Amino acid sequence: MVRILILIFLFVFESLFAQDFQGIATYKTNRKVDLNMDDSRMNADMQKQLQEMLKKQFQREYTLNFNGTESVYKELQSLEGPKPASGVRVMIAGSGPSNVLYKNSKEGRYVSKQDMMGKLFLIKDNLEELDWILEDETKTIGAYTCYKATAKRMGQRLRNIRIATDNNEENTDESEEEEITITAWYTPEIPVSNGPGNYWGLPGLILEVGDGDENILCSKIVLNPKKKIEINEPIKGKVVSEQEFEEIMEKKMEEMRDRMSRRGDGDGLRIRIGG
């Protein structure tokens, strides 16, 4: 029944979404951080401070500029977090205000501009097509009625912590790949197949989505702003596939840790969180 109602709704509102239709959605992210760290070099207070620091690191704000078929998703600003504990350095791979994600739902592809240690990369690949299940459950987000959709995919939870000391000892805690349930809330009142991050493929804009660890929630929407927004596909950077970029990122992180260890940069722990 929900599928029929959505199709009727889309037909009625089709005339509203002409070629010049645009919108700006603002999202805030939160990630659950539950890291099991058994390390004698970190006392209870330091571990607690690290947990809080990591939690704040993942509280970010993004904007999604979109039209009927395209979008640009980028970080607006980083919410202020606590200062790191002495001797602790945190690196979150794949994040930063200079990174841009362009999606084209009509063509089923994306381009992600990533700055990896001063070098620009253009990740060009196909958008992941999730097998969404449309549910009858609804809730209100802001002024919009949203419908629930769920999907499953294989992935890893945030458990890969890498700890290195100045004598180059390393501790690695990596989880195995597991099936993750994704829950999204989309509104047919804005019938564009788009959403935050790499999420898309539903008959309406995704206003909230979570995978159990990370939750992304829309806090503001402006439709057809007076000032026309530009949605430009990134063009500068070395072109790679998603798999190629993952391999490059891993290699760069290894090289960075090696350089820091050789020159004794920092007296305590250095932690890299894989994004």
Side-chain angles (χ1 to χ4, degrees), residues 80-179:
E80 185 179 358
K83 295 181 180 179
S86 176
V88 178
R89 294 172 182 251
V90 178
M91 296 175 289
I92 302 178
S95 64
S98 63
N99 297 338
V100 176
L101 173 62
Y102 166 87
K103 298 200 301 283
N104 189 313
S105 59
K106 184 178 180 180
E107 299 177 1
R109 64 181 181 88
Y110 76 90
V111 178
S112 178
K113 186 187 77 171
Q114 298 273 349
D115 186 339
M116 173 56 67
M117 301 179 186
K119 185 173 182 179
L120 287 179
F121 290 88
L122 280 182
I123 307 163
K124 294 188 176 185
D125 222 316
N126 295 324
L127 286 167
E128 180 183 13
E129 295 189 26
L130 295 174
D131 187 15
W132 292 107
I133 298 175
L134 305 183
E135 312 281 359
D136 290 325
E137 187 177 347
T138 66
K139 74 174 182 178
T140 301
I141 298 178
Y144 298 93
T145 299
C146 296
Y147 288 81
K148 182 179 180 180
T150 58
K152 295 183 182 296
R153 71 176 175 197
M154 299 304 294
Q156 285 189 342
R157 297 296 186 188
L158 181 62
R159 297 291 183 271
N160 55 322
I161 302 181
R162 301 190 173 186
I163 304 175
T165 60
D166 292 333
N167 61 10
N168 205 32
E169 293 179 359
E170 185 175 314
N171 225 344
T172 304
D173 178 16
E174 292 187 352
S175 63
E176 294 183 356
E177 196 171 66
E178 60 183 279
E179 187 177 68

Side-chain angles (χ1 to χ4, degrees), residues 182-228:
I182 300 167
T183 301
W185 296 90
Y186 65 95
T187 177
E189 297 173 43
I190 309 177
V192 296
S193 183
N194 219 318
N198 279 312
Y199 294 109
W200 73 296
L202 287 168
L205 182 66
I206 298 172
L207 299 191
E208 183 178 1
V209 62
D211 62 6
D213 278 348
E214 183 181 45
N215 187 72
I216 307 174
L217 177 63
C218 181
S219 59
K220 181 181 179 181
I221 297 177
V222 178
L223 297 179
N224 291 322
K226 294 180 179 180
K227 183 179 179 181
K228 186 176 181 179

